[in-house]
Every structure is written in structure tokens, then in C-alpha cells.
């Protein structure tokens, strides 16, 4: 079991460019979560999928951020027109659909110059 | 404002000593989890304690929960250098949605 896989581990973009972050959940886990971590805000919930369906995106900024889960083996978080304030570590987690424990990936560190 | 917060930004102990991290939260809960995050890694769950439990143990770790005061503690006995990490409490009133505290950075010196 390789755990949750996130790629890339580091991404540097210029202001206004698009960034796509990838997450491969643990096989057999039906729930996928995205979080954002910064020094100032800490760990913030962004969005949640259950069985590939979007369930709760209450933490997603309304503009420029979108998340998808086209199949059970991967999810993407896309940020359009990146801004310096989007710089953060983006963490993906997965869990059994009825389980409390979330298994986190190592994160993608996004730096927007 | 934070729905959960640990009451210390940072703690430092010598290897072998015991340490306790405290957490307070502001919402009704069905469970509270403690996570640990080491440098460069994602958080990893240590203990889950449900709202009808008062104490839970996992090896050298012991978590307590007091729903009347909306507080929890995580104690680590016989600390090791590898316990150096940031510790978060994460209360939830829905199974999936975790609200992480601000975190306590623990340094265990050899």
C-alpha cells in the first residue's frame, strides 16, 4: 500500500498561470478530501468527494478553484490565474466512506511568484 | 475564529520525559481526533476518541475528552526524538469534516 500519492511534490508558477494538482487515493477508499495548509491559516478544509461525487465544497474559494474526481483512482485540484496568496501546501486525504480516519498524502507545495 | 485550538504554540522536552498537549474546541462533536505531522509529511492520525468516551490509549499515547468543558488532552509518555512533530486536535460533528486546531510544535531533545 503506497498510501495517498500526490504529484507534483513542488510546483512553481508565475502569477496568472494555471496550476493542476493531482491526487491518487488509497485503493478501496471512497472518500477524498482536499485541504490547504499555510502558516497563517493553518489546515483548512477545501472540498470532499464521496464515490467520486462532490459532496461538500464549502471551503473552496468561489473563483479560480475547482476540483474534480473523474474516476476512483484520482482527483485533481485546479487553480486558474494563480495569485501569490494561493501559495500553500495542498494536501489530499482519503478514507473509507464511513470512516473517521483520514490518510493524508505528503502534499504539493505550490509557490506562486 | 478557530473552532479548535491547542493551548501551546510550542513545547520542548528531553527524551524520556512525559508531555501533555491540550486542546479546546467550540462546537458539539461526535468525535475528536489527534493527528501528528512531521516535517515534509501530511498529518497522520494518532487517536480517535468518540464523544461518549472519556479516555483512549494507544501505546505511549493517552487521550482524554471532557465534553462538558469542550477540551481534550493528548499525553505522551517516555518521549522519543521521533515524537518531534506538530500535534493537532481535530474535532468533528460530521464524520468527514475535520476542523484542525492551530497545532502545537513539540521538540524532543536527545
Amino acid at each position: 500500500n503506497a498510501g495517498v500519492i500526490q504529484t507534483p511534490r513542488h510546483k512553481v508558477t508565475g502569477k496568472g498561470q494555471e496550476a493542476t494538482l493531482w491526487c491518487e487515493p488509497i485503493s478501496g477508499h471512497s472518500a477524498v478530501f482536499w485541504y490547504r495548509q499555510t502558516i497563517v491559516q493553518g489546515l483548512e478544509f477545501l472540498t470532499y468527494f464521496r464515490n467520486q461525487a462532490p459532496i461538500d465544497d464549502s471551503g473552496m474559494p468561489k473563483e479560480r478553484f475547482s476540483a474534480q474526481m473523474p474516476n476512483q483512482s484520482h482527483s485533481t485540484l485546479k487553480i486558474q490565474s494563480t495569485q501569490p496568496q494561493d501559495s500553500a501546501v495542498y494536501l489530499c486525504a482519503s478514507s473509507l466512506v464511513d470512516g473517521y480516519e483520514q490518510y493524508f498524502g505528503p502534499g504539493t507545495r505550490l509557490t506562486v511568484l | 475564529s478557530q473552532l479548535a485550538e491547542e493551548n501551546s504554540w510550542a513545547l520542548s522536552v528531553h527524551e524520556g520525559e512525559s508531555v501533555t498537549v491540550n486542546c479546546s474546541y467550540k462546537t458539539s462533536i461526535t468525535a475528536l481526533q489527534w493527528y501528528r505531522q512531521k516535517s515534509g509529511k501530511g498529518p497522520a492520525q494518532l487517536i480517535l476518541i468518540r464523544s461518549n468516551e472519556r479516555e483512549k490509549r494507544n501505546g505511549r499515547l493517552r487521550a482524554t475528552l471532557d465534553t462538558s468543558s469542550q477540551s481534550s488532552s493528548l499525553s505522551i509518555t517516555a518521549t522519543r526524538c521521533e515524537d518531534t512533530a506538530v500535534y493537532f486536535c481535530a474535532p468533528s460533528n460530521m464524520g468527514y469534516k475535520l476542523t484542525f486546531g492551530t497545532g502545537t510544535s513539540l521538540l524532543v531533545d536527545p
Side-chain angles (χ1 to χ4, degrees):
Chain A
N1 187 341
V4 175
I5 298 171
Q6 289 190 251
T7 54
R9 291 296 311 277
H10 303 273
K11 186 170 182 67
V12 179
T13 66
K15 183 179 175 180
Q17 293 183 328
E18 182 177 287
T20 299
L21 313 181
W22 293 72
C23 170
E24 181 179 329
I26 293 172
S27 177
H29 283 190
S30 302
V32 172
F33 310 82
W34 285 95
Y35 294 84
R36 177 169 63 182
Q37 186 172 30
T38 62
I39 297 293
V40 174
Q41 297 294 333
L43 261 162
E44 300 175 285
F45 168 85
L46 293 177
T47 190
Y48 161 56
F49 294 87
R50 184 196 301 152
N51 294 322
Q52 301 171 230
I55 301 298
D56 183 348
D57 66 353
S58 59
M60 292 277 276
K62 296 308 176 194
E63 298 180 354
R64 302 187 296 107
F65 282 65
S66 63
Q68 294 183 327
M69 191 161 184
N71 58 59
Q72 64 184 9
S73 64
H74 88 272
S75 175
T76 59
L77 179 68
K78 183 180 292 186
I79 309 172
Q80 296 178 312
S81 185
T82 54
Q83 303 297 310
Q85 61 265 30
D86 299 331
S87 296
V89 176
Y90 290 84
L91 291 157
C92 176
S94 70
S95 76
L96 295 170
V97 67
D98 293 324
Y100 280 93
E101 181 174 4
Q102 295 182 19
Y103 295 81
F104 283 79
T108 294
R109 181 175 294 278
L110 175 67
T111 302
V112 183
L113 302 176
Chain B
S1 64
Q2 290 281 353
L3 292 179
E5 60 182 9
E6 295 77 6
N7 68 352
S8 300
W9 284 99
L11 295 169
S12 179
V13 297
H14 295 296
E15 198 171 27
E17 293 179 339
S18 297
V19 66
T20 297
V21 180
N22 294 298
C23 163
S24 58
Y25 57 91
K26 299 179 181 178
T27 181
S28 62
I29 64 170
T30 53
L32 184 143
Q33 300 178 61
W34 283 94
Y35 280 78
R36 174 172 68 188
Q37 185 175 24
K38 296 191 175 184
S39 180
K41 310 256 182 179
Q45 191 207 56
L46 299 174
I47 287 182
L48 179 151
I49 184 166
R50 298 185 186 273
S51 60
N52 62 351
E53 298 176 311
R54 291 295 168 259
E55 179 180 304
K56 197 80 168 282
R57 292 177 183 269
N58 179 10
R60 295 182 295 113
L61 308 176
R62 173 178 170 262
T64 65
L65 180 64
D66 184 340
T67 53
S68 62
S69 64
Q70 296 189 311
S71 64
S72 177
S73 70
L74 176 71
S75 297
I76 308 173
T77 57
T79 53
R80 303 168 182 167
C81 290
E82 53 262 39
D83 294 326
T84 293
V86 179
Y87 290 78
F88 297 94
C89 67
S92 63
N93 57 15
M94 284 183 278
Y96 65 84
K97 196 162 187 175
L98 298 181
T99 302
F100 285 86
T102 48
T104 292
S105 179
L106 173 65
L107 174 64
V108 180
D109 281 326

